[in-house]
Amino acid sequence: MTVGCLVDTTRCIGCRSCQVACKGANDLTADETRFFAAAGGYQNPRRFSPYTRTLITYHEIDQPDDPPRWIFVKHQCLHCTDLYCAEDCAPEVFHRTASGVVAFDAPECIGCAACLDSCPFDVPAIDYWDVDTPHIRKCDFCLDRQEADLPEASVDGRRLDGPALQRHRQSFSTPGCAKACPTGALQFGRRDQLLAEAKRRIAAEPEKYVNHVYGETEAGGTAWLYLASVPFTQLGFPESLPPLGQSELLGATDRSSGRWLDLGSCLTSLVAGMSWFFRRRDTLRRTKNTAAGEAENRSSDV
């Protein structure tokens, strides 16, 4: 079964409950942020980071005969079928699970930042500080919840079975962001059923939605599907994506190209060097302490 999540941007109020829930579900610390104003939004924080894997962007939409209105959009890894992030990944840390989640083996990552330029949605972020070796961080769709084995459950001492147990499993496997949404803008479930629901909403209210489900075909089909009342290009979504193998046509992102790539490379080398130094120091210290202990034991035996 391929899982997915439907994002109805017409229902989003920009409360950022999903951002908070994501941090809670993944034990993420707060980012040090500051208010900024830029074309396309007033969101805070400004971009993804190792500590922010869900982000709400703010979009002020001009209307010819009415005052401008706001549209809020939840962003995270879209879990694409076409693995752009894996194209230039030397250690091959990215893989798709049977449920369609794009997972990654963080310990195998070398922090080269190639995936930052390959991802058409600018999702991955590099953790340079809280690990021995820099590696990427991104939304994993709360995969631990989905893969949890729940053979039984109980409420107030009463064992659940049948439909009640199934509802409990469904609730437990739902990602933290979707469970926290107060307006129903996020709906988790089977991707095929969510796609059918999205098309049903468009058919029922054609004046409310543009006739397009973003993610149905983009990037080979994404686990996250979007509905909107305005063209998706006005909300920052790329209109078209190059085929796999031509990700250089995406253009470099401001996080990993030019001076930022140089800075990232320098930081990677510096942190890797410091990590090696401290590990080597600790190894020598343990070896010295072990040798001293053995010498003391030998002297006491004599």
Side-chain angles (χ1 to χ4, degrees), residues 63-175:
Q63 303 181 105
D65 302 321
D66 295 298
R69 65 189 176 101
W70 288 96
I71 296 179
F72 311 104
V73 184
K74 180 189 185 300
H75 294 276
Q76 70 298 302
C77 175
L78 272 73
H79 298 275
C80 310
T81 298
D82 294 341
L83 295 183
Y84 286 89
C85 54
E87 277 197 285
D88 299 317
C89 179
E92 300 180 344
V93 302
F94 297 97
H95 64 277
R96 279 176 59 83
T97 68
S99 61
V101 175
V102 178
F104 60 98
D105 301 316
E108 302 300 319
C109 179
I110 59 176
C112 68
C115 54
L116 272 67
D117 277 336
S118 299
C119 175
F121 304 106
D122 299 340
V123 167
I126 303 295
D127 189 350
Y128 288 107
W129 306 112
D130 291 343
V131 289
D132 288 337
T133 302
H135 57 240
I136 70 116
R137 301 285 194 187
K138 75 172 189 69
C139 158
D140 65 358
F141 220 153
C142 288
L143 188 60
D144 57 335
R145 291 172 177 248
Q146 297 183 38
E147 294 184 341
D149 185 17
L150 298 175
E152 60 182 42
S154 61
V155 175
D156 295 332
R158 180 174 61 87
R159 185 174 178 178
L160 301 179
D161 56 16
L165 179 59
Q166 291 294 23
R167 289 194 299 270
H168 173 74
R169 288 173 175 168
Q170 172 73 12
S171 176
F172 187 87
S173 65
T174 299

Side-chain angles (χ1 to χ4, degrees), residues 24 27 65 106 161 176 190 203 213 215 237 239 241 251 257 267 276 296:
D27 195 24
D65 302 321
D161 56 16
R190 288 177 45 176
V213 181
F237 288 85
E239 184 174 11
L241 303 176
S257 62
L267 286 173
W276 176 87
E296 183 178 351

Side-chain angles (χ1 to χ4, degrees), residues 188-244:
F188 175 74
R190 288 177 45 176
R191 184 181 184 275
D192 56 347
Q193 294 178 350
L194 294 175
L195 182 57
E197 169 62 16
K199 293 184 175 181
R200 185 198 65 78
R201 293 185 193 181
I202 293 174
E205 299 181 88
E207 71 287 351
K208 182 177 180 179
Y209 300 101
V210 295
N211 188 21
H212 180 54
V213 181
Y214 197 94
E216 178 180 7
T217 59
E218 285 81 6
T222 63
W224 286 76
L225 304 169
Y226 287 82
L227 289 172
S229 58
V230 299
F232 286 97
T233 52
Q234 295 186 36
L235 304 178
F237 288 85
E239 184 174 11
S240 60
L241 303 176
L244 281 175

